[in-house]
Amino acid sequence: MYKDKCNSKNRFSGMAENYNRFRPTYSSDTIRFLNDAIDFNENLVLADIGAGTGISSKMFLENGNEVYAVEPNEDMRIVLERVLSKYEKFHSVEGSSEVTNLQSESIDVVISAQSLHWFNPKLATKEFSRILKSNGMIVVIYNIRRNNLEGFMSEYSDLISKYGEKYINKSDDNLISKFFGERKVYEKILYNPQVVNFEELKGNLTSYSYVPKENNPKFKNMIEELKNIYDKYNKDGKITLEYDTYVSCCKIK
């Protein structure tokens, strides 16, 4: 079930800098897959909905696309604008998945990167249909931790489950189908490892909205346990965070 919209707008307040520095980028093969699957090219106009600090927007701007980065959270949007203002085809928009504030039939492809779970499926689909041109597409991108591994990733996942809010650990396997229904969906899983030091590992952990922050009594113990795991598994000061980038795309109009 999607998270409460109002809650999601405020949930990342005060976390934007950490999010921008330590969240993983998406697989470099993402655009190559889209080229093959839906004839994606640099001439398409994109709306990146729930753009956050611009991790996904940057990838498409560097591909040459015009990108309207729609973000409801002011803290996130401030970082987004600072990071991406150098790109001529970048546009920052205060809006949400339900009210994007974009013109009707102005967008070729809607991008949702690491944000679909915050959307109301019915209202968002209606809004995307409004802003998309004929033959418009939706592309959903997620970085997902590999939780079924032994060693470091297993213990890191256990740590997150231990300290994270309980509701966040419940995934929705029907998330994509709620948006795409019976339409044909093109999907790809792309391996996306991230090699980090301890500072970056700590930043990755604390960038999640559902783990304790520094003013929480649990924070100190969480970081101590994280350091123990890091000390156990690091090689020459580095740890590999094992991610897969999941890409799904579908024509909805």
Side-chain angles (χ1 to χ4, degrees), residues 34-209:
L34 294 175
N35 288 342
D36 294 338
I38 59 173
D39 195 26
F40 187 89
N41 62 75
E42 68 275 11
N43 297 316
L44 299 176
V45 179
L46 314 183
D48 188 356
I49 311 298
T53 61
I55 296 172
S56 51
S57 293
K58 181 180 180 182
M59 176 173 64
F60 292 107
L61 288 164
E62 291 182 343
N63 188 58
N65 295 100
E66 186 166 11
V67 177
Y68 290 84
V70 179
E71 173 54 45
N73 183 279
E74 183 179 7
D75 288 359
M76 289 289 207
R77 207 165 53 251
I78 288 171
V79 175
L80 168 77
E81 292 168 359
R82 188 189 74 226
V83 171
L84 299 182
S85 60
K86 65 181 179 181
Y87 292 95
E88 182 180 350
K89 294 184 177 182
F90 164 70
H91 310 276
S92 176
V93 181
E94 181 180 0
S96 67
S97 59
E98 295 83 14
V99 184
T100 62
N101 294 315
L102 297 175
Q103 293 183 359
S104 297
E105 298 185 351
S106 62
I107 300 298
D108 294 303
V109 181
V110 165
I111 305 293
S112 169
Q114 219 73 24
S115 59
L116 189 70
H117 55 289
W118 296 113
F119 301 170
N120 179 307
K122 183 177 181 180
L123 296 179
T125 301
K126 181 179 179 180
E127 176 69 350
F128 297 165
S129 295
R130 182 187 69 80
I131 66 175
L132 281 169
K133 300 175 185 178
S134 177
N135 296 317
M137 306 286 294
I138 293 180
V139 174
V140 176
I141 307 172
Y142 269 97
N143 276 327
I144 304 294
R145 287 188 307 272
R146 290 187 170 187
N147 295 329
N148 59 343
L149 302 176
E150 297 180 352
F152 167 74
M153 286 305 296
S154 175
E155 294 194 32
Y156 186 51
S157 296
D158 288 344
L159 179 71
I160 293 173
S161 296
K162 177 180 178 179
Y163 286 97
E165 295 177 9
K166 291 182 179 180
Y167 81 87
I168 208 73
N169 295 320
K170 296 179 180 179
S171 62
D172 186 349
D173 295 334
N174 298 316
L175 193 62
I176 299 297
S177 63
K178 287 179 181 178
F179 274 80
F180 294 155
E182 300 300 321
R183 300 179 180 92
K184 181 176 178 58
V185 180
Y186 300 91
E187 297 179 298
K188 189 76 171 180
I189 300 174
L190 303 165
Y191 182 48
N192 187 32
Q194 309 278 315
V195 179
V196 299
N197 58 28
F198 181 72
E199 180 187 3
E200 292 164 334
L201 177 63
K202 178 182 174 182
N204 178 272
L205 175 63
T206 56
S207 73
Y208 294 103
S209 63

Side-chain angles (χ1 to χ4, degrees), residues 1-54:
M1 185 174 184
Y2 75 95
K3 310 299 186 297
D4 178 75
K5 180 178 70 172
C6 294
N7 183 40
S8 69
K9 288 182 179 179
N10 299 318
R11 193 170 184 85
F12 290 94
S13 295
M15 299 177 58
E17 293 291 349
N18 217 37
Y19 193 104
N20 181 59
R21 289 181 63 194
F22 300 117
R23 281 296 180 99
T25 56
Y26 299 100
S27 169
S28 58
D29 290 327
T30 298
I31 291 178
R32 184 181 307 168
F33 163 67
L34 294 175
N35 288 342
D36 294 338
I38 59 173
D39 195 26
F40 187 89
N41 62 75
E42 68 275 11
N43 297 316
L44 299 176
V45 179
L46 314 183
D48 188 356
I49 311 298
T53 61

